Every structure is written in C-alpha cells, then in structure tokens.
Amino acid sequence: MAKQYETVIGLEVHVELAAKTKIFCSCSTEFGGAPNTHTCPVCTGMPGSLPVLNKKVVEYAIAIGLAVNCDIARVCKFDRKNYFYPDNPQNYQISQLYLPIARNGYVEIETGDTKKKVRIHEMHMEEDAGKLIHDEWDDTSLVDYNRSGVPLVEIVSEPDMRSADEVIAYLEKLCTIIQYLGASDCKLQEGSMRADVNLSVREAGTERFGTRTEMKNLNSFKAIARAIEGERERQIELLEAGKAVIQETRRWDDNKEASYNMRSKEDAQDYRYFPEPDLVPVVISDEWIEQIRARQPELRSEKLERYKKEFDIPQYDAKIITGSRHMADIFEKASAICGKPKKVSNWLMVETMRLLKDHGMEPEEISFSPENLAKLVNLTERRMINSSVAKEVFEKIFAENVDPENYVEEHGLKMESDTGALEEVLKKVIADNPKAVEDYHGGKEKALGALVGQTMKAMKGKADPGMVNQKLREML
Amino acid sequence: MDIASLTAAGLGKKIRAKEISVVEAVRASLDRIDQVEKDVHSFVTIDREGALKRAEDVQKQIDDGRLTGALAGVPVAVKDNICTKGMPTTCSSRILENFHPAFTAEAVRNLERGGAVIIGKTNMDEFAMGSTTETSYFGVTRNPWNLEHVPGGSSGGSCAAVAAEECPCALGSDTGGSIRQPSAFCGVTGIKPTYGTVSRYGLIAYGSSLDQIGPIAKDVTDCAALLEVIASRDPKDSTSIDRSIYVHRQSKGPDSQESFKGGQPAGYDFTSALVNDVTGMRIGIPRDYFGEGLDGEIKEKILAAVRVLEERGAVAEEFDLSLVPYAIPAYYVIASAEASSNLSRFDGVKYGYRTQDYEGLHDMYKRTRSEGFGEEVKRRIMLGSFVLSAGYYDAYYMKALRTKALIKQAFDQAFARYDVIVAPAAPTTALKLGHSLSDPMKMYLGDIYTVSANLAGLPGISIPVGTDSKGLPIGMQIIGDCFAEKKIIRAAYTLEQTRAYERPALAKNASKVQEHGADDRQRKEAVQRREAVQRKEAVQREGGAV
C-alpha cells in the first residue's frame, strides 16, 4: 500500500499598510502616479538623508498584533537587511529581525466543520522596495521608487497548516481582520497582500519535519491552492523516487501551473543584518497599547456572536454579511433606521450579491447609503410599491445611490391605492376577457392569473398584486 | 588691516560695526586662498562667485537688521562630506566626483540662517576614512606648519584651511577623532559635540552611530559661537536630542561652579561657558593615556597645561580608566560594519560614478565600486562586511557592541568623580606625508585617544598647548560627560587665556604679502564702504528728525 503523506505549511504574509505616507518619510503612498513622483531624498536613498519612523505605521502594526492575539513588544528595534538590487535604493532594507513589534499570536480558522488555531510566530514592520520596469525594446531597466518606503508588516506563521483549504482559510481570516481594522485593503492581485508559502511533506504519523521549500509569486487564492497542490505532488514524487527534497526558493508560474527554482540554500544571500543606527528604539507604553485596544473596532467573530443574539437572521447570512466590514456597516445602519433587519439582510443577500457578481465587484465597492436601503425597505413594508418596482428601484440605488422616495415619486411608481380606480379597471378587464372569466368559473384557477396580469398591465404595474387578486375574486 | 588673521568672532564684530563689509571679508578669504592653496590644498571646491553673491545678500540683511548673529557675514568652509545644494559634495571620492546634492545639510542650513557665507568644500580622507587626508581622491592636503607633513584627518582640509587662515572657521565631522586629531596637528581648536547635538541630516554617513559634525576655529570662543549656531534639535534626524529639555546628571562632590552643576538643561548657549575660571573643577588624568606609546614632548606639554589649570583653581588627579586597549578594535569593528552598509548605496545606479564597460548588473556593480572607491575605503567595507557575516556576527560585531557599552560604563564611573578628563589628541605630532599609508594598523592605533569619546557619545575639545622641537603643534584633548560641553569649553577657555594663539609661518608670511600688496581695489572698496555707511547714517538721521 502506498505511503500516506502529510503536508506541512507555514506562511509569510506581507501586508501593505493603509498609512497615507511612507514608513520613513512623508511621501504619499498612493498607488499609481507617474514614476518617481512620490519620492524624496529619503526614499530614493540619497546620501546624507535619514529615516524618521511614521507613528501611524506603528499604530497599525500594534492594532494588527492585538487582533491576532500577539504579545506586543514594549521595546522594538529596526535592523538593516543588506543586499544589492536596484529596486532598493540604499541597497539595504530597513526591517526588524532581532526585536520585532509582535510575537506569539494565533488566529482561529474554520474549514468545513473543524476549527483550529494557526499560531503566529512573529510580525514585524519593514519598508517596501521600488519597482523595476524592463524595457525589452531598449534593452534597459528602469526603476520607479514610488513604492520604495511604502510601509509593510510581515506576518510569519508557525508551520501549522496541513492543506490548501487551511491556508486559504488562514489568509481569508487575516484579510478580514486587517480589513476590519482599516489597516490595509489586503488585495492579493494588486500586491497589497503577498503570501510566500513554506511547504514540506512528511510521512503521516512522523514527528520530524521534512525539508521545506519556499514558494513565491502567488497572486491569488486560486494560484496559492494550485501551487500547494503542485508542490506537494512534486515533493512526494521526489521522496517516492528515493530522492531528497532540496531546500530552495521556487517561483510559481500560474500560467504553466509549475514552479521553478529561483535560488537554492547554497546561493542564499547573507543579509548581514545589524541594528539600524539611524533609528532609535521604539518604546511602546502600556497606555499607548490600551488606547489602541480601546479604539479597535468590533471584529468579525465578535460581530457574528452579536448578530446571533440581536438579529433574527440565518447564521449563513450573518457570515456573508460580516465577510465585509463595509457590508456589515450598511446592514447595521439600515436595520437601525428601518427596524427590519431581516428585510435588509434579504436585500443584501439576494439583490446586492447578484448585482456585485454581475458587475464583477467586491463588497467593499458598494457605494449606496444605508439610509436609502432603509427607505426602500420602508416603502415596500408600507406597501407603497410592489416588489417588482422595488427591484427596479434597488438597481437604481445600487448604481447611483438614488433616494428611493424621490425616485418613486418622480417616476410615478407608487402603487394605486384608489380602490375606485382599480375597480374601474377590473370591470373593464372582466368585460374584455369573457373567455378567461368563463374558464375561471369553470374551475380553472390559472385563468385568474391571466386576469391579474391584464389588470397589472393596465395599472402600469402600480397596483398591489394581492389586492388585485382579492378584488377580482370578489367581483367574479 | 589683515582681515584673514582675525578670528570669526572678531571678524563678525567688525562686520556688524560696519568696519568691514561682508564682501571684503569674503574677498580676504578668497585672496588668501589664491596665495596659499597651491601649497596647502585645503579645498576640493571653492565657490568664488556664489560666495561673493551671497556676501552682498548677507550684507543687505545685516544692514536691514535682519541678521544680527555672531557669525553674520563670516566666511566658513565646510567639509566635503556635508551636503550643500548648489555645490558638489564628493566625500573626496571618485565615486561622488560630480555629485550635486538635492538638499543642504541641516547644520549648513543653520549656518546660513545665522548669516555665514560658505566659501567652499574642504578636502578630507575619502569618506572620512583615514587620519591624514592622504586617502582623498583629489590629492593630499599639506600641513600649513610644515608642508612636508600631513594635516591629520579626516577633517584635514578644514583644519588646514583655518590654520592657513583661508577662512576663520570651518565645519568638520568626527567619527573616531576626525575633528580633534587634525585640529591638534594644525594647531587649531575643534570640538566633537555630544552625539545628538548637531543634526546628521545631510552628513554623508561613515559610522552612523558615531558621526558628529563639529566646529573648527582658531580659538575656543569661535568654536563655542559656531557650535551655538549649528546645534539644533532636528526632527529629520531621529538621533538628534533636544538639549533644551535634556537634563544632564549631577556629578558627585562639591559643585562649586554654577556652570558645572548637573540637574539643569544641557542647553544650546555654549558661549555662556566662555568663563575664565576653573575654581573647584575636578580634572581626571587617565594613567593609561600617558604611558607607553605617547610622545614625551606631548606628555610634557599636556601635563604643563594641567598644572596651569591647577594654578587657576582646578583639582587634578590621576586615575585608571579601564578598557583602554579595547577601544580601537571595538571602534574599527563598529565603524567598518556601519560603513559597509552605509556605502552600499554607491553602486552606479542612481548617481555618482559608473564604470564605462560592463556586462550586466553585477559586473556593473563590481567594476563601479572597484574603480570608484579607494584602497582604504575598500579595506573597511571588506572588514565591515566580514564582521557582519553569518557566523562571525557574534564573535565580532556583538562583542564590539558589548565592549562599547563597557567603555561607556567606565567613563560614567570616571565622570561621577571628575568634571573633565584630559588626554592627548594623538600619540605624536603630525607625521610626514606618506608615512602612515604603508601600515594601516599603525594608522589605526594613532586613534587610541580619540575613539572612546565617539564610542561613548561624549563631547571632546582639542586645543593647542604649544609646539614640539620640530616646530609642530601639540594638541590637548579635554573630554566631558555627555552634554557637558559647557565644562570642557570653560576649561579650554580658561587655559587659552594663559597663552597667545600661535600662527604657522605660512599664515604670517601670507599676511605680510597681503598687507604690502593691499592694492587699489581694496582701497577703492574701503572708500566705497565708508561712503555707503555715511549715506546710511544720513538717511537714519533724516528719518529720526521726522
């Protein structure tokens, strides 16, 4: 019988922080911008320039550290990581090796019905590098330092994950936590979140870890899942063939669904880390930590617990809604205004999700206000509009955040509440459709539907279908 | 009048009194440079046009009453590792031969705010690595006292310029003695301030945790005045400290002098310490600094100077300062480690020298750096890279950091008992050109008396205390506790009052030539200036009458 293998995975996750200015200078961190326009002597490594730490970066790092249950260092320091590459203007990166800001944390993940803790070894602050642009035509490389000095945290997990599912669950969990904190938008595709996968395999039941490889260039959850599967198989094949796994860094090519060796352990650079002499140690007081803790928003897991108690909505819906802090905010505000959380939840779960999918949008991109959604709920609850009109109005709200009350008024979409007018129409419909009337009396329930349809059409959709149904039965 | 022979404070006073115009002051500097620069070679860059233009502007601001400081209108030379926008900054290295900084160093901006006129950039050991100014890519600087001898280093250009009276004062930088040792060799006065006193923003780093910019001038008064102008808390330098709130510690024993007292803010008012009185000041003489290896004449002159201070009321005592032999290895490990990283940005990618022919990125890096850096710089980059390497870090770099901490402790203990410590600035007087480069170890050992102050962050002043039998100046170093600049300034000032400033023959001769050759231009300018003053006074009188 073939041997059973277990996959052991640890992650190094880089997260670009939402600070408006860079970590060591006051240049803008805004994405885009013409090359080298968000730069100054500090982030281009000009001789004589000196770094000054951005306090906001430390606050974001503390907030994340607390949210992932880390111990926050009372004194942390920066170190220089020395390596030559043109995207790095000083030829050293300011990072944290010896005294990182946070250590010993964990996050709880859920896969299927099982819950598990993934431990976090440490988290440190560092600066991002610039970007090289290779001009094949001209056979030159150009460098853009706009991203140089953009603040990052690197979150290093323990090797606690055993499958691609667990890795994705861990990343999604980190993402939600950090997005909830407003500390980053965590977009893998745009590079504001980057994950390197350390993976090894071992025979099931053994204690010792196998030799691991590190996989880089993973730009989506799907790529990560594929890379993990691919690397697991590659390592098992090696072991089955009696060969050894070599400790190396590999680059994943998602188009070819294969990975390639970048550098082996032997070529591993000696980064010659040493304490950054241009920065003083960061002293973090208990008061500062408590202030940040007090400002922490309610995180997703806490929100879920609360929704269970406060709102009568299915757990599944609560999970979807709290998946995005923005959507949860809309839900809570709209529910507070109209007092109908279940209705609000329905609008979000059905129509909003459908429209997001149609437009290829993320929940973060929802641009309508909770006030307008609440007004729409009220309009339907008060039977001011019928459900098909409500859907039409909601599309307008979703696209342009229109005020539904004004919109309904302006477009004359209000339901006809004048029973006299309805009766007039019904009389005419009955008179014009003797066949249908006959069928109805002959016991064909379906015929009533045709009559209701005729009536709704004559009323330009503004009648309450329930009311039409009832009146019609009476009159027939 | 021989303007070049004036001190900075003396010149500043005459400028404010309208006895000398700023243009005249700058011309006097430039004229002296024309006379002696071919022999001394203190400068890498001389900004004649810029300085004269700036002189006119400063003159206006003085006339308007906008500039009233002690150094308003005074020409100042700046070491070429301190960034100046509008003037190249080369670190005396080929790799930065044509480098024009995008910004001006904070210390120089402070000088400019004070109305000083920057006349040029002075020669130095390449990237401040050396003790002779011989490692400069642009050629050696010679000692104005004897052109066969080195001026010391690495701020050799600044010290030689002041000694040769090419300018009344200059900025240097001191990582392991680079202000104090060349000051001693050239018979001038220089201060290495407490780490964090002068902003390092714009100082091209050698050893970041040790580097400090400081003043070099003909006397203590000028140094105090210059330091008062350049020192500031700078938010752009995280290691800069606000001395106006920093309270330095109370030392034990009878603090008889007001300015010796601890428990007060360290402050920026350095000129307030120009007091001719050392009554009750306790002076420590470390035995280890006066034993083997020290030139007998230097020892004699320094101990004589201590006796003078004792006669003025100070109390001197010998003591054992521990760990002295460990300072040099600790210094060279730490400084080289930091340098290996600091200098990695010079790679031919962004600015400075790039090799002509190369194949690919790594070849470009290698050739650029091999060709762009000199031997001493490469030696220290290699040394620094080695001590930071995996497997050696703990044995060298960590051990050096621990040694540094112990050295600081040893000084802490000493300053619990003494107000100041006296030491030689160097084991010998200025050596002959070409003497040191052949044996780097010997050159490194020459820093024995100065590197400890950098390791411990302490302030030190070097002042002339006479000459040796070869006619070369001898310097004495006075070291203080962290932020105790006022104590060392007071001690040095008191000592200075007992002796006259000695000028090298080169400066004296140049003065004679200049005085005899006082040409028509100078006379014309003198007349124009007098007329201008009279016109101004007339305007003021009229204004007053209304």
Side-chain angles (χ1 to χ4, degrees):
Chain A
M1 193 188 128
K3 287 178 190 166
Q4 292 293 306
Y5 287 93
E6 182 180 44
T7 319
V8 177
I9 307 165
L11 250 52
E12 288 166 28
V13 178
H14 285 89
V15 177
E16 212 173 88
L17 298 178
K20 289 197 171 59
T21 56
K22 293 185 178 179
I23 183 167
F24 298 124
C25 63
S26 50
C27 289
S28 165
T29 54
E30 211 179 306
F31 188 72
N36 296 308
T37 51
H38 298 166
T39 58
C40 73
V42 176
C43 56
T44 54
M46 285 293 166
S49 66
L50 294 170
V52 177
L53 180 60
N54 181 347
K55 192 177 173 186
K56 194 75 203 165
V57 171
V58 182
E59 295 193 338
Y60 277 135
I62 294 173
I64 297 172
L66 290 173
V68 298
N69 308 297
C70 278
D71 300 328
I72 306 297
R74 292 308 188 269
V75 177
C76 73
K77 279 189 187 172
F78 285 92
D79 302 291
R80 287 190 192 172
K81 180 181 181 180
N82 294 285
Y83 65 95
F84 276 78
Y85 203 64
D87 65 0
N88 176 350
Q90 308 150 120
N91 286 320
Y92 57 79
Q93 180 196 29
I94 304 179
S95 180
Q96 296 191 295
L97 176 72
Y98 296 108
L99 286 174
I101 187 160
R103 276 185 170 141
N104 298 332
Y106 68 88
V107 293
E108 212 170 46
I109 59 165
E110 246 174 275
T111 43
D113 288 335
T114 48
K115 281 187 183 179
K116 127 177 218 184
K117 274 182 184 175
V118 174
R119 292 169 300 152
I120 286 164
H121 180 73
E122 57 120 326
M123 182 186 78
H124 61 258
M125 301 176 278
E126 62 186 26
E127 56 179 343
D128 208 343
K131 208 170 121 190
L132 286 185
I133 298 148
H134 302 287
D135 186 340
E136 305 277 331
W137 185 261
D138 221 13
D139 194 25
T140 52
S141 295
L142 302 165
V143 58
D144 175 7
Y145 289 124
N146 280 353
R147 209 179 61 187
S148 164
V150 164
L152 302 175
V153 288
E154 180 175 344
I155 303 165
V156 183
S157 84
E158 297 288 355
D160 284 354
M161 285 156 279
R162 297 290 175 267
S163 67
D165 284 352
E166 289 187 1
V167 168
I168 305 295
Y170 169 74
L171 284 170
E172 280 177 343
K173 182 84 183 200
L174 277 186
C175 240
T176 333
I177 290 173
I178 294 168
Q179 284 171 350
Y180 260 78
L181 294 170
S184 174
D185 56 12
C186 291
K187 287 183 181 162
L188 277 163
Q189 282 85 348
E190 286 177 21
S192 61
M193 187 177 203
R194 282 165 255 169
D196 299 337
V197 172
N198 285 285
L199 184 148
S200 64
V201 294
R202 62 181 172 192
E203 243 181 277
T206 48
E207 286 281 308
R208 254 187 63 204
F209 290 129
T211 305
R212 68 164 191 272
T213 59
E214 184 180 352
M215 191 89 62
K216 287 184 181 287
N217 195 38
L218 305 165
N219 301 323
S220 66
F221 285 152
K222 280 177 190 156
I224 290 170
R226 279 194 287 265
I228 287 172
E229 256 340 287
E231 182 59 14
R232 173 189 152 85
E233 277 165 28
R234 194 188 68 88
Q235 289 191 14
I236 291 173
E237 268 172 37
L238 281 172
L239 296 178
E240 291 279 310
K243 291 180 188 161
V245 174
I246 298 163
Q247 189 177 334
E248 61 189 352
T249 303
R250 301 181 67 84
R251 185 184 165 83
W252 177 253
D253 185 333
D254 204 43
N255 294 323
K256 296 185 179 149
E257 294 202 21
S259 64
Y260 301 93
N261 169 277
M262 272 173 80
R263 53 174 184 263
S264 63
K265 194 187 174 191
E266 285 72 41
D267 333 313
Q269 299 203 39
D270 181 351
Y271 291 119
R272 291 173 282 117
Y273 276 101
F274 76 105
E276 165 57 271
D278 288 332
L279 289 167
V280 290
V282 185
V283 178
I284 300 169
S285 66
D286 291 348
E287 288 86 351
W288 197 14
I289 293 176
E290 285 319 310
Q291 276 169 20
I292 292 167
R293 200 194 299 275
R295 284 204 303 263
Q296 295 282 78
E298 182 186 39
L299 294 178
R300 188 189 184 188
S301 49
E302 297 156 345
K303 242 186 219 314
L304 270 174
E305 278 305 304
R306 184 163 63 81
Y307 282 16
K308 214 187 266 178
K309 288 179 207 145
E310 277 181 28
F311 306 114
D312 178 27
I313 59 170
Q315 185 72 359
Y316 176 78
D317 294 9
K319 272 188 186 168
I320 300 286
I321 288 169
T322 56
S324 147
R325 184 182 167 189
H326 183 52
M327 189 135 85
D329 283 347
I330 293 174
F331 169 73
E332 288 179 36
K333 280 186 192 146
S335 300
I337 297 169
C338 68
K340 297 271 185 292
K342 208 162 178 175
K343 301 281 174 198
V344 173
S345 162
N346 276 340
W347 280 112
L348 292 173
M349 290 299 298
V350 183
E351 285 304 298
T352 307
M353 285 316 219
R354 179 179 66 81
L355 290 168
L356 284 174
K357 208 180 160 204
D358 288 354
H359 292 90
M361 287 163 66
E362 295 291 323
E364 267 60 42
E365 295 169 90
I366 296 174
S367 58
F368 61 80
S369 66
E371 287 77 14
N372 286 337
L373 177 56
K375 280 181 184 176
L376 182 70
V377 170
N378 282 336
L379 285 173
T380 51
E381 284 300 293
R382 281 191 236 122
R383 306 193 143 266
M384 304 286 277
I385 52 175
N386 64 40
S387 61
S388 59
V389 169
K391 275 185 194 170
E392 181 194 328
V393 174
F394 181 73
E395 288 193 14
K396 282 285 166 191
I397 294 175
F398 184 88
E400 296 161 37
N401 191 28
V402 296
D403 180 326
E405 288 171 2
N406 293 342
Y407 187 82
V408 165
E409 194 68 44
E410 281 164 24
H411 291 78
L413 297 173
K414 227 185 234 171
M415 270 197 288
E416 205 59 70
S417 52
D418 180 353
T419 46
L422 178 59
E423 275 169 26
E424 285 302 309
V425 172
L426 285 172
K427 274 180 198 162
K428 193 168 181 292
V429 168
I430 289 167
D432 292 352
N433 295 281
K435 175 88 172 67
V437 173
E438 199 176 308
D439 287 350
Y440 174 73
H441 287 302
K444 284 190 181 167
E445 267 298 301
K446 261 190 183 170
L448 188 71
L451 291 171
V452 171
Q454 290 279 330
T455 313
M456 290 302 286
K457 199 175 166 192
M459 295 289 289
K460 297 197 176 90
K462 289 183 286 179
D464 178 351
M467 173 98 74
V468 173
N469 217 305
Q470 193 193 329
K471 282 270 173 200
L472 201 55
R473 282 176 196 277
E474 283 171 19
M475 290 173 70
L476 286 168
Chain B
M1 182 175 17
D2 179 19
I3 297 173
S5 70
L6 296 171
T7 63
L11 176 59
K13 208 168 165 186
K14 285 187 190 299
I15 289 171
R16 290 196 303 284
K18 311 270 194 275
E19 288 171 43
I20 297 172
S21 75
V22 181
V23 169
E24 281 175 303
V26 170
R27 280 247 159 83
S29 260
L30 294 174
D31 287 347
R32 177 60 61 88
I33 288 170
D34 286 339
Q35 279 177 287
V36 304
E37 187 59 11
K38 61 183 186 302
D39 293 325
V40 183
H41 186 233
S42 311
F43 287 86
V44 175
T45 304
I46 300 158
D47 185 19
R48 290 167 200 277
E49 271 178 45
L52 286 168
K53 217 173 136 219
R54 162 97 176 134
E56 284 173 20
D57 184 43
V58 168
Q59 184 69 61
K60 270 187 214 130
Q61 295 189 49
I62 292 172
D63 294 344
D64 294 351
R66 276 182 286 162
L67 278 174
T68 55
L71 295 182
V74 173
V76 181
V78 174
K79 189 177 179 180
D80 211 22
N81 59 350
I82 302 172
C83 288
T84 43
K85 193 175 176 177
M87 240 186 274
T89 299
T90 69
C91 287
S92 290
S93 178
R94 183 183 190 191
I95 213 157
L96 285 179
E97 189 172 0
N98 292 310
F99 178 67
H100 289 256
F103 63 96
T104 294
E106 188 63 16
V108 176
R109 287 187 61 189
N110 285 340
L111 270 182
E112 289 173 347
R113 287 185 197 109
V117 179
I118 314 300
I119 53 162
K121 305 298 290 291
T122 57
N123 200 16
M124 54 187 279
D125 282 296
E126 186 181 2
F127 283 103
M129 296 178 188
S131 314
T132 63
T133 313
E134 290 171 296
T135 68
S136 166
Y137 176 66
F138 304 110
V140 300
T141 296
R142 292 163 185 271
N143 192 318
W145 288 80
N146 184 332
L147 298 174
E148 297 299 305
H149 289 251
V150 300
S154 66
S155 309
S158 288
C159 293
V162 171
E165 297 180 340
E166 293 175 292
C167 56
C169 60
L171 295 191
S173 72
D174 191 316
T175 307
S178 283
I179 287 175
R180 292 159 289 156
Q181 183 256 28
S183 292
F185 280 15
C186 292
V188 296
T189 299
I191 296 178
K192 181 247 148 198
T194 305
Y195 188 76
T197 295
V198 180
S199 168
R200 292 187 297 114
Y201 194 81
L203 171 65
I204 300 181
Y206 158 26
S208 313
S209 70
L210 310 164
D211 295 341
Q212 266 293 288
I213 293 172
I216 295 159
K218 276 184 256 187
D219 64 15
V220 180
T221 304
D222 280 5
C223 277
L226 191 51
L227 184 56
E228 205 161 287
V229 171
I230 60 172
S232 64
R233 158 79 184 118
D234 180 8
K236 296 188 294 304
D237 174 3
S238 310
T239 63
S240 128
I241 292 168
D242 188 352
R243 294 177 61 106
S244 64
I245 54 167
Y246 186 89
V247 174
H248 60 81
R249 70 198 175 112
Q250 175 84 46
S251 44
K252 279 185 216 150
D255 273 325
S256 55
Q257 299 288 342
E258 196 59 32
S259 68
F260 301 164
K261 275 191 179 161
Q264 299 167 332
Y268 291 94
D269 53 335
F270 302 102
T271 51
S272 72
L274 296 167
V275 178
N276 182 10
D277 184 8
V278 288
T279 312
M281 185 184 273
R282 287 153 307 146
I283 300 172
I285 307 166
R287 281 190 200 95
D288 313 62
Y289 280 179
F290 291 87
E292 210 183 322
L294 178 63
D295 180 282
E297 286 184 275
I298 295 176
K299 179 176 177 178
E300 192 188 304
K301 282 276 168 31
I302 292 176
L303 293 179
V306 172
R307 279 195 296 279
V308 170
L309 287 173
E310 285 182 297
E311 284 160 22
R312 310 281 306 174
V315 184
E317 184 183 281
E318 288 188 11
F319 76 105
D320 291 315
L321 180 69
S322 58
L323 300 165
V324 172
Y326 300 102
I328 292 276
Y331 168 77
Y332 275 95
V333 167
I334 293 170
S336 301
E338 291 179 6
S340 72
S341 175
N342 285 331
L343 269 60
S344 60
R345 70 186 65 203
F346 306 109
D347 58 3
V349 171
K350 304 159 294 273
Y351 41 72
Y353 175 78
R354 181 190 289 180
T355 189
Q356 293 301 310
D357 301 310
Y358 54 91
E359 279 170 42
L361 180 65
H362 283 92
D363 191 45
M364 191 279 281
Y365 280 157
K366 276 184 202 162
R367 285 174 193 262
T368 295
R369 288 166 64 82
S370 298
E371 294 159 16
F373 289 133
E375 293 301 306
E376 185 58 32
V377 172
K378 280 186 266 194
R379 183 165 22 241
R380 294 195 196 185
I381 289 174
M382 285 190 281
L383 176 63
S385 303
F386 172 73
V387 300
L388 290 177
S389 298
Y392 297 97
Y393 182 86
D394 289 345
Y396 293 102
Y397 189 73
M398 274 306 289
K399 200 172 268 182
L401 285 189
R402 278 198 284 271
T403 308
K404 177 185 170 173
L406 290 172
I407 288 171
K408 173 90 176 87
Q409 257 177 39
F411 275 99
D412 278 348
Q413 283 165 12
F415 286 117
R417 292 167 60 198
Y418 307 110
D419 293 299
V420 297
I421 290 171
V422 297
T428 63
T429 52
L431 297 169
K432 278 200 162 169
L433 285 161
H435 200 268
S436 329
L437 284 186
S438 53
D439 188 352
M441 267 312 282
K442 202 170 167 188
M443 184 167 78
Y444 296 172
L445 289 172
D447 300 335
I448 179 83
Y449 307 120
T450 47
V451 294
S452 296
N454 300 83
L455 289 170
L458 308 170
I461 187 168
S462 174
I463 52 162
V465 289
T467 50
D468 69 0
S469 50
K470 287 173 275 182
L472 290 166
I474 292 170
M476 174 170 101
Q477 197 188 172
I478 305 174
I479 303 167
D481 196 2
C482 277
F483 301 101
E485 271 83 353
K486 287 182 195 168
K487 286 185 186 180
I488 62 172
I489 287 170
R490 187 171 184 139
Y493 182 79
T494 303
L495 180 64
E496 191 181 67
Q497 300 312 303
T498 65
R499 53 189 309 280
Y501 175 67
E502 288 179 67
R503 303 164 73 195
L506 177 127
K508 284 186 218 165
N509 295 336
S511 283
K512 275 179 207 151
V513 172
Q514 224 169 24
E515 269 175 63
H516 292 311
D519 56 13
D520 284 351
R521 194 195 73 212
Q522 280 180 323
R523 269 198 298 277
K524 265 185 218 159
E525 277 178 3
V527 172
Q528 283 169 355
R529 175 177 43 75
R530 265 196 304 280
E531 285 171 356
V533 170
Q534 284 162 358
R535 271 198 303 277
K536 192 156 189 255
E537 283 171 354
V539 170
Q540 280 169 344
R541 271 199 304 279
E542 281 168 29
V546 175

